Amino acid sequence: FFFSPAEFVKSATDFSMIPENTMIPEVAFVGRSNIGKSSLINGLVNRNGLVKTSSKPGHTRMMNFFKLGDKLSLVDMPGYGWRSRDEWGGMIISYLQNRKNLRRIYILVDPSHGLKESDTQIMKLLDSSGLSYQVVLTKMDRLSKTKYSTAKAEIEAELVKGAICCFPLVLGVSSKTKDGLDELRAAIVKAGQL
Ligand code: GTP
Ligand code: MG
């Protein structure tokens, strides 16, 4: 299965350092600090330690590019909370708006906290740029099935109200138990039309 082997390509701290636009379909993972972006990439490619993770928020400070052969490119991002809005804006917003091979942005949300202002802000930006995104609820293992379903329903109800370019299927994952990873891989394959 082509989600492995994965390899690290490059880190970028500003827009000029981003790897050249290739034809390889790309998906990027965004979300608040500590939401589980880096852990999710490790889970997806089945390689703990490919991406460094930490219990301390603000761990990932650069955009990190990974690739799976010549099939797919995955991008890990600093959490919104870490860099100042301007810095986050400078590099990441230019990237999001200019990246031709970017097929979908995955917005990671903690179901026990729900959608935050920072999430809806990025959704508005993606809506206004016509960029496809999909919401993934992380750390499912931390909630009971009932609490998870309630939280998911609330988030879906909020999305229905105004998220234009949102792919209408909210996924749930746990990088710890690996639940939901196959469904997310399948969604990525479809988004990349691989
Ligand atoms: P920044 O790089 O700081 O933006 O954080 P991040 O979004 O990359 O989060 P990261 O993957 O580093 O994970 C943050 C913390 O959450 C770590 O302590 C992880 O072990 C933990 N974590 C990540 N995914 C899961 C999960 O599915 N379940 C549980 N229980 N913990 C998780
Ligand atoms: Mg990280």
Side-chain angles (χ1 to χ4, degrees):
F1 189 62
F2 78 76
F3 268 85
S4 55
E7 53 180 316
F8 171 71
V9 179
K10 195 172 178 187
S11 294
T13 46
D14 69 62
F15 190 62
S16 65
M17 291 168 75
I18 289 171
E20 239 177 88
N21 228 320
T22 59
M23 295 302 284
I24 303 176
E26 189 159 278
V27 295
F29 298 83
V30 303
R32 289 160 55 230
S33 284
N34 212 40
I35 209 86
K37 299 175 291 297
S38 303
S39 304
L40 182 58
I41 293 181
N42 284 336
L44 284 172
V45 304
N46 224 333
R47 206 175 126 195
N48 275 340
L50 175 68
V51 195
K52 290 203 188 76
T53 65
S54 166
S55 56
K56 264 180 42 202
H59 188 74
T60 307
R61 298 180 184 202
M62 299 180 276
M63 288 179 68
N64 294 312
F65 291 78
F66 301 91
K67 67 172 186 165
L68 294 139
D70 58 358
K71 289 264 199 257
L72 181 69
S73 164
L74 304 174
V75 189
D76 189 21
M77 302 268 195
Y80 319 127
W82 164 250
R83 287 180 163 242
S84 72
R85 177 143 179 87
D86 283 353
E87 261 188 298
W88 208 91
M91 171 173 63
I92 297 172
I93 297 176
S94 324
Y95 160 79
L96 293 172
Q97 292 182 326
N98 291 295
R99 192 74 169 166
K100 292 200 172 60
N101 53 332
L102 181 60
R103 299 290 171 83
R104 189 173 290 161
I105 296 102
Y106 282 91
I107 302 184
L108 275 48
V109 172
D110 188 332
S112 37
H113 298 140
L115 290 173
K116 297 282 180 187
E117 169 99 32
S118 49
D119 299 313
T120 48
Q121 271 176 1
I122 189 84
M123 286 177 200
K124 278 192 189 129
L125 176 95
L126 299 175
D127 283 332
S128 67
S129 312
L131 290 164
S132 167
Y133 55 91
Q134 183 169 15
V135 173
V136 175
L137 306 179
T138 59
K139 310 191 186 182
M140 263 175 99
D141 57 280
R142 287 186 168 175
L143 289 180
S144 68
K145 281 214 163 108
T146 332
K147 284 207 166 127
Y148 172 77
S149 305
T150 312
K152 184 177 176 222
E154 278 170 17
I155 291 166
E156 284 169 339
E158 277 191 65
L159 292 172
V160 165
K161 282 187 215 154
I164 303 160
C165 297
C166 190
F167 190 78
L169 180 67
V170 173
L171 296 174
V173 292
S174 164
S175 304
K176 197 170 166 186
T177 63
K178 316 262 184 231
D179 275 317
L181 294 183
D182 277 337
E183 288 81 357
L184 178 56
R185 290 186 189 108
I188 292 172
V189 166
K190 255 189 137 173
Q193 293 171 320
L194 303 170

